[in-house]
Amino acid sequence: MTAILPETAAHYTRRVLKNGGSAKKSLGQNFLIDDQVIADIIEKGFPDSDMPIIEIGPGPGALTRVLAQKIKRLWAVELDKEKVEILQKEIINKNQDCRLTLLHMDARQLKLTDIWGEEKGWLIGNLPYYITNMLLNHFLEQADSLYGMTVMVQKEVAQRMTARPGGRDYGILSIAIQLAAEAEILFDVPPSAFWPQPKVMSTVVKLNIRPYPGFIVDQQEYFHVVRAAFAQRRKTLLNTLAAGLKLPKDHIRLVLQSLNLEPNLRPEELEIIDYQKIVQALKRVDSE
Ligand code: SAM
């Protein structure tokens, strides 16, 4: 059960921002003010409150103040100095046994090993929408330090994260996420749960990190081909791979033929493993 706080999230946020605080659009600041959504994130968001947990972009701390009651080892990374000062005053200074450590920095620079060494932990956050992809990639690259992540993103991004081959949402992000994790949509959050209200629906997604599939030999080579394929997703595989890899079309045609893949397929019609087959076939056809 999540602890009940005497002051609602909406009241707390209004109060702490009253003395000169504001919501900065340039930093993607839409603050959660719905207690039920906060309770649900905490209830469903992570399996174990003993593991180290890091919150990305706590803002004034409507979620953080509840996490701080429950989590023994908690960190929060916030770029906005004004919000860091609020968190220090409202959460740390007011609770003597609070185990929250504040990091005033850009989350894109954060190395999880600098925080919890060789241990693994869980990442949580209502991510700033202007850098969602960048942050997801940055922390997926550090998957060895994580059991999982629970992130709130725009609904449309959540659909891309969890998309299966065949649909228009399936792309580089879907592949990157699903190679590293089992992705589960937890629930949608309406604009009315935030202040100020965003224009779009949000979704909370839980990622359980798992080992990379054994068929991927070299991640860089693999994503080089995936990026080339999706660079012009309306084109055929033949055209987009030839352009993206800067190889003659005849060469790509031979590669696709050797795998029984039709040259006029679209990049989103391929399974994750097909791209590894292309990586290998490119080398094979090269040496013939
Ligand atoms: N967690 C809070 C909530 O749910 O009410 C705030 C979420 S708000 C969508 C995103 C937060 O990320 C803001 O507080 C913003 O200042 C912070 N932020 C933006 N860019 C950041 C960055 N590069 N590194 C760390 N925090 C950042």
Side-chain angles (χ1 to χ4, degrees), residues 64-75:
T64 326
R65 69 191 186 127
V66 190
L67 282 170
Q69 291 208 320
K70 197 176 160 80
I71 307 301
K72 298 190 184 73
R73 288 176 296 161
L74 178 66
W75 288 261

Side-chain angles (χ1 to χ4, degrees), residues 27-32 55 57-59 78-79 106-107 126 128 130-131:
L27 288 177
Q29 294 187 347
N30 298 97
F31 303 128
L32 261 176
E55 185 188 357
E78 175 56 60
L79 186 58
D106 188 330
N126 170 13
Y130 75 108
I131 46 168

Side-chain angles (χ1 to χ4, degrees), residues 97-115:
D97 52 357
C98 177
R99 314 239 175 89
L100 168 65
T101 305
L102 293 175
L103 302 164
H104 176 212
M105 64 179 287
D106 188 330
R108 289 168 289 185
Q109 310 294 329
L110 184 74
K111 276 173 76 187
L112 295 171
T113 47
D114 288 347
I115 293 184

